[in-house]
Amino acid sequence: GLRRWMTDYVAPHALWSAEQYRAAGHLTATALERGLKVVRFAFADVHGVLRGKTLVREEALRVLRNGVNASATLLLKDLCGRTSFPVYTPGGGFGIPALQGAADMVLVPDPLTFRVLPWAPHTGWVLCDLHFQDGAPLPLSTRYVLRRCLDRLGERGLEFVAGLEVECHIFRLDGTAVPVDGELPATLPLNTGYQYLTEVRYDEIDPLMEALRVNLQALEMPLRSLEIEFGPSQVELTFGPTVGERPADLMVLLRSAVKQVCRRLGYHATFMCRPKLDNVVSSGWHLHQSLRRVADGVNVFASAEALLSALGQGYLGGLLAHAAAATAFSTPTINGYKRYRPFANAPDRVSWARDNRGVMVRVLGGDGDPATRLENRVGEPAANPYLYMASQIVAGLDGVDRALDPGPSADAPYSADAPALPKGLVEALAALRADGCFQEQFGGFFIDYFCRLKQAEIDRFMSAVTDWEHREYFSLL
């Protein structure tokens, strides 16, 4: 409609800060100075998958303050790409006329996220926020969900600090043929596995790890370490702490960057939790988190007299109290629940302890350490980071407000008397629907949307005939 002929959509709706306007100037100057050919306008869908449009430089700079139109149905698809809502019915399946008929949403670039992609140096990249045509934020945007939670922290004079510890698998592609739809790429392991932190194994794949290091640091990511993990072809990347929505922005860019760099070099990277390949073990995403006072930068989890401050104890209590519901966001795939196994450096129940890798929440630091933090080990690396982090803030603040006691530590985590984590996605979604705190803070509208999308995934899984079923029944019955 009329909006596509405007020259400035951002200013009338007050969508940028002064800092973002300055960053937009830097984006324009960089695009011209470095001779960029295209700019990718990207956003993370509800699954955490980056989608968007690529514009030639001249058009990208022209629409920078006007946004880019894209079909809102991109937010209504399950992981197979099928639209899971009746978008052509009145209200588009949501009672929102603006979503009816596969209508457009507006991708508004956040210039603060602009990068030049080092593996494609002709290409700029910028993360976008999602809005209706009238300027209102789109409530289905997961970046918007996180920002609302961060605003709640800001009202208390606090900000969210998070560091990333991410495992993934990287395999060598066996052949160059593109698999047909439904087939998996043929792959070979990089090593024989079960060689945790072995220097020789690292050196064997040093050229690949160096390519990742060069590209991730060129993206200005706070990379700390690259490690050989336990299983064959499994690696771990860790990143220093960042503030606000930046750690979530980094996570979506990290996954996309690793996959793109690896593919160009003849490898396949996957953040799937537990691939069905010989000897492969599960991958996790450990989220290190704390809260910091904006006024003086003090970590409010730290205490000189105790392991955690009273606020930190309440926050931990909230993570435990809402653990079952929050797993729908930290572990949003059917596959991810196969990681919750005893004696596997992964949690299988709702527990905490100091520096223990078998619990759900590991407390690090303490006794006045300014780096005191909670490491939630429950997540899978495929989780949408905006929802994962938002779920932590919602659960933690509820614990703070109610002064929830986290209870005793689980020093023997796999035999502790503690509630079991959900056994599967169906159980997690049921817990989410029943959690009044999430219903209130995320909004019943969003919870219903999220659950309906995940239910579509579950329904497809339940209708598929698996290898296990074929082996179990085909000959005997």
Side-chain angles (χ1 to χ4, degrees):
L2 180 62
R3 196 203 65 79
R4 71 179 66 245
W5 302 107
M6 295 170 60
T7 58
D8 194 340
Y9 173 80
V10 169
H13 302 299
L15 301 182
W16 282 356
S17 65
E19 187 181 13
Q20 286 174 305
Y21 275 105
R22 289 192 294 270
H26 169 73
L27 186 162
T28 300
T30 301
L32 296 173
E33 291 168 5
R34 298 183 59 169
L36 299 186
K37 305 301 182 185
V38 294
V39 177
R40 299 181 190 174
F41 291 76
F43 71 94
D45 69 9
V46 70
H47 311 290
V49 175
L50 283 177
R51 300 182 183 272
K53 290 188 174 183
T54 300
L55 277 63
V56 298
R57 182 185 68 194
E58 294 75 17
E59 184 67 9
L61 297 182
R62 187 185 71 81
V63 304
L64 190 60
R65 290 168 54 157
N66 194 27
V68 177
N69 281 343
S71 172
T73 58
L74 290 169
L75 297 175
L76 307 178
K77 298 181 183 296
D78 78 355
L79 272 169
C80 76
R82 181 181 302 160
T83 301
S84 300
F85 296 86
V87 296
Y88 292 102
T89 61
F94 281 95
I96 299 178
L99 292 178
Q100 185 175 329
D104 278 343
M105 59 185 175
V106 185
L107 278 57
V108 179
D110 178 353
L112 294 170
T113 66
F114 173 69
R115 301 286 189 275
V116 176
L117 299 184
W119 61 89
H122 62 286
T123 304
W125 180 92
V126 64
L127 201 56
C128 297
D129 290 307
L130 307 179
H131 291 261
F132 289 115
Q133 298 287 332
D134 64 3
L138 202 66
L140 305 184
S141 163
T142 56
R143 197 171 191 242
Y144 173 68
V145 170
L146 175 59
R147 187 170 291 144
R148 286 173 52 213
C149 294
L150 295 172
D151 288 344
R152 287 186 63 212
L153 281 176
E155 292 168 1
R156 302 168 186 238
L158 300 173
E159 55 190 2
F160 183 71
V161 181
L164 311 180
E165 184 179 331
V166 186
E167 296 167 348
C168 65
H169 289 90
I170 302 177
F171 301 97
R172 184 176 288 107
L173 285 168
D174 184 14
T176 58
V178 177
V180 299
D181 188 38
E183 290 187 358
L184 298 176
T187 59
L188 297 169
L190 298 183
N191 51 43
T192 56
Y194 311 115
Q195 302 292 337
Y196 180 50
L197 297 184
T198 306
E199 183 178 352
V200 170
R201 292 287 189 238
Y202 184 96
D203 191 69
E204 288 176 356
I205 62 170
D206 177 70
L208 171 61
M209 300 297 262
E210 181 63 7
L212 291 178
R213 181 197 66 78
V214 167
N215 282 280
L216 295 178
Q217 290 190 321
L219 288 170
E220 300 177 9
M221 290 187 173
L223 181 66
R224 294 182 63 250
S225 67
L226 308 95
E227 303 171 5
I228 292 289
E229 258 300 325
F230 185 71
S233 274
Q234 191 179 40
V235 302
E236 181 178 81
L237 304 168
T238 71
F239 299 83
T242 51
V243 179
E245 61 205 27
R246 186 157 185 253
D249 292 345
L250 289 175
M251 185 62 178
V252 291
L253 180 55
L254 166 68
R255 290 193 300 227
S256 196
V258 169
K259 290 183 75 70
Q260 291 178 55
V261 170
C262 286
R263 187 62 182 84
R264 286 170 177 249
L265 295 174
Y267 298 90
H268 175 73
T270 180
F271 292 83
M272 175 185 181
C273 179
R274 192 175 182 86
K276 188 179 180 296
L277 296 169
D278 290 342
N279 302 315
V280 164
V281 299
S282 301
S283 290
W285 169 16
H286 306 151
L287 181 61
H288 295 251
Q289 58 191 296
S290 62
L291 300 181
R292 190 169 72 184
R293 212 160 38 222
V294 175
D296 54 13
V298 168
N299 179 351
V300 297
F301 283 4
S303 169
E305 295 81 30
L307 180 61
L308 287 169
S309 67
L311 188 149
Q313 291 181 51
Y315 192 99
L316 172 58
L319 295 185
L320 301 176
H322 297 285
T327 53
F329 299 122
S330 68
T331 313
T333 72
I334 293 168
N335 178 259
Y337 290 84
K338 294 176 171 62
R339 175 173 163 264
Y340 295 164
R341 300 182 177 193
F343 306 104
N345 281 338
D348 70 342
R349 62 198 70 194
V350 181
S351 61
W352 76 275
R354 183 174 189 170
D355 200 9
N356 188 316
R357 287 181 166 82
V359 295
M360 189 188 96
V361 182
R362 177 182 176 216
V363 181
L364 296 169
D367 301 321
D369 185 346
T372 296
R373 61 197 184 277
L374 304 178
E375 178 197 1
N376 197 335
R377 300 174 62 81
V378 77
E380 65 170 321
N384 179 310
Y386 301 102
L387 296 179
Y388 186 6
M389 294 181 195
S391 73
Q392 303 298 280
I393 296 170
V394 165
L397 285 186
D398 183 61
V400 171
D401 290 343
R402 295 197 286 146
L404 293 180
D405 183 353
S409 64
D411 299 315
Y414 297 117
S415 59
D417 182 16
L421 285 167
K423 295 294 190 290
L425 185 57
V426 172
E427 187 179 335
L429 292 180
L432 177 61
R433 290 188 182 99
D435 192 296
C437 182
F438 278 112
Q439 289 282 344
E440 179 184 353
Q441 297 302 326
F442 275 50
F445 172 83
F446 185 88
I447 296 297
D448 179 61
Y449 156 71
F450 178 83
C451 289
R452 287 169 68 181
L453 270 183
K454 299 313 294 184
Q455 188 61 49
E457 190 175 326
I458 292 167
D459 291 346
R460 284 192 297 107
F461 174 77
M462 294 302 293
S463 66
V465 178
T466 65
D467 291 344
W468 184 93
E469 292 169 277
H470 198 68
R471 289 193 308 270
E472 189 80 0
Y473 307 127
F474 187 65
S475 296
L476 184 63
L477 302 182

